[in-house]
């Protein structure tokens, strides 16, 4: 459950941080710092967080209302928090919050920033000027993007995430094995095909979206699973309706948010309060298998069609395995614990040269026993909508 915290004087906090190592008990974990994100981050000690995920204003520079060809209004981003009078002011704002992000990050901490073509190149240049080292630029390709209603440009079907370390020689954290397992034993690529936030996940009040740019939980799931561990502290300077906090709580990570808009804060606190952390066994990931199907099993886990902790079994119910956060399976028996992908574990259990995990493993839904391929078909339908 989250809380709202009043900010403490920044200078006192910085002196305290230099005087002694930061204790997690001194951090406002599970709380939203209310107000300007730069002042909020200044209240935090140096080198105190493991990851910063930032979804800053995109500075979309919209010149007026956006309408469809039939004259109906498009619910676009027209909020004051996205308006800057000049690129210079936007750059100044970007530099200020990135300076604080760099200060509060641990030496081996990571930074993620998401943006569109309107702002990501300006953000990227500034973070490089400040000494951050870009490890990857991730293209989030939206499987169901909003169309270009005017027909005057290509449809904007992607956003860009920059993943950075503290510097060229800095250490950083990457769960390579978990990402490969999540992607059906293929290396996770830098282009991620995920649907935009819609359906029951989209927060609404009175039939209207609470936040115009709410990010899908599947996106944050992949970010946090790939670059943090259980118990790590994740800071989101632009907390919005709390997607980062909800996913962090589910995955057993600590979170701190910064947000100035009261309507977003209220929605975020209610949302996170309902979120349940995963069972310890489901949180364990692969630490250390050909042709990729059109959908990775991990995509079903990320989007919640098959949640971590779900029990899978073969058709004859000889073996029962538990789904873990990275899409791997765990089976416990008299011979000990066995883990692997849906294909690899099925192959091992049968002593077979290969196994199609999609048809081998089954789950129960609505009183019926179904192959997990049925969940894959549901996923395909959802991203085509």
């Amino acid at each position: 459950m989250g809380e709202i915290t009043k900010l403490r004087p920044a200078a006192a906090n910085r002196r305290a941080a230099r005087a002694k190592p930061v204790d997690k008990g001194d951090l406002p974990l599970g709380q939203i710092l209310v107000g300007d994100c730069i002042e909020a981050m200044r209240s935090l000690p140096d080198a105190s967080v493991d990851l910063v995920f930032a979804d800053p204003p995109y500075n979309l520079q919209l010149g007026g209302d956006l309408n469809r060809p039939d004259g109906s209004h498009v619910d676009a981003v027209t909020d004051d928090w996205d308006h800057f009078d000049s690129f210079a002011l936007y750059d100044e704002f970007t530099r200020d919050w990135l300076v604080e992000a760099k200060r509060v990050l641990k030496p081996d901490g990571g930074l993620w920033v998401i943006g569109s073509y309107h702002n990501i190149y300006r953000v990227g240049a500034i973070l490089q000027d400040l000494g951050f080292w870009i490890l990857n630029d991730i293209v989030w390709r939206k499987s169901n993007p909003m169309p270009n209603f005017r027909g005057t440009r290509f449809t904007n079907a992607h956003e860009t995430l920059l993943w950075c370390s503290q510097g060229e020689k800095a250490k950083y954290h990457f769960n390579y094995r978990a990402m490969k397992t999540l992607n059906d034993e293929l290396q996770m690529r830098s282009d991620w095909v995920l649907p935009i936030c819609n359906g029951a996940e989209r927060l609404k009040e009175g039939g209207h979206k609470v936040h115009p740019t709410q990010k899908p939980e599947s996106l944050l799931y992949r970010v946090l699973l790939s670059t943090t561990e259980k118990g790590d502290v994740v800071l989101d300077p632009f907390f919005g309706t709390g997607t980062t906090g909800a996913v962090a709580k589910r995955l057993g990570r600590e979170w701190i948010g910064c947000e100035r808009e009261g309507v977003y804060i209220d929605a975020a606190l209610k949302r996170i309060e309902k979120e349940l952390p995963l069972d310890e066994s489901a949180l364990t990931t692969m630490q250390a298998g050909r042709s990729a199907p059109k959908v990775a099993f991990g995509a079903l886990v990320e989007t919640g069609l098959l949640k971590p902790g779900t029990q899978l079994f073969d058709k004859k119910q000889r073996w029962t395995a538990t789904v873990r956060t990275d899409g791997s399976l765990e089976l416990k028996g008299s011979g000990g614990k066995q883990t692997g992908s849906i294909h690899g574990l099925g192959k091992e259990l049968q002593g077979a040269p290969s196994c199609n995990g999609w048809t081998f493993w089954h789950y129960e839904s609505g009183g019926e026993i179904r192959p997990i391929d049925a969940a894959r078909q549901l996923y395909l339908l959802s991203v085509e909508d």
Side-chain angles (χ1 to χ4, degrees), residues 18 20 36 90 104 203 225 240 262 281 297 301 311 314 333 362 374:
R18 288 193 289 268
K20 63 179 181 179
D36 175 77
Y90 184 79
V104 301
L203 300 185
L225 190 65
S281 61
F297 180 67
V301 181
Q311 300 292 299
D314 64 294
H362 292 66

Side-chain angles (χ1 to χ4, degrees), residues 177-178 180-186 281-282 284-289 297-298 301 310 312 320-332 336-349 355 357 360-361 372:
R177 179 67 255 179
K180 189 173 181 181
T181 306
L182 194 69
N183 199 39
D184 276 357
E185 294 304 322
L186 289 175
S281 61
T284 308
T285 59
M286 294 290 288
Q287 304 294 330
F297 180 67
V301 181
T310 299
L312 302 184
T320 301
T322 302
V323 177
R324 304 195 296 186
T325 54
D326 62 354
S328 64
L329 304 184
E330 177 181 301
L331 184 146
K332 295 179 180 178
K337 182 172 66 175
Q338 294 173 272
T339 60
S341 67
I342 58 171
H343 310 295
L345 185 58
K347 170 184 170 181
E348 182 180 344
L349 291 172
C355 172
F360 177 76
W361 294 105
I372 59 174

Side-chain angles (χ1 to χ4, degrees), residues 34 43 58 77 87 106 109 112 118 123 128 139 155 172 174 179 183 198 264 281 284 312 349 364 378 380:
V34 181
S43 74
Y58 286 9
V77 182
F87 285 129
K106 295 177 181 178
W112 287 83
H118 303 87
V123 172
Q128 286 182 313
V139 175
T155 297
Y172 58 91
F174 179 51
M179 288 297 97
N183 199 39
N198 58 13
Y264 299 161
S281 61
T284 308
L312 302 184
L349 291 172
E364 183 177 351
L378 290 175
L380 288 170

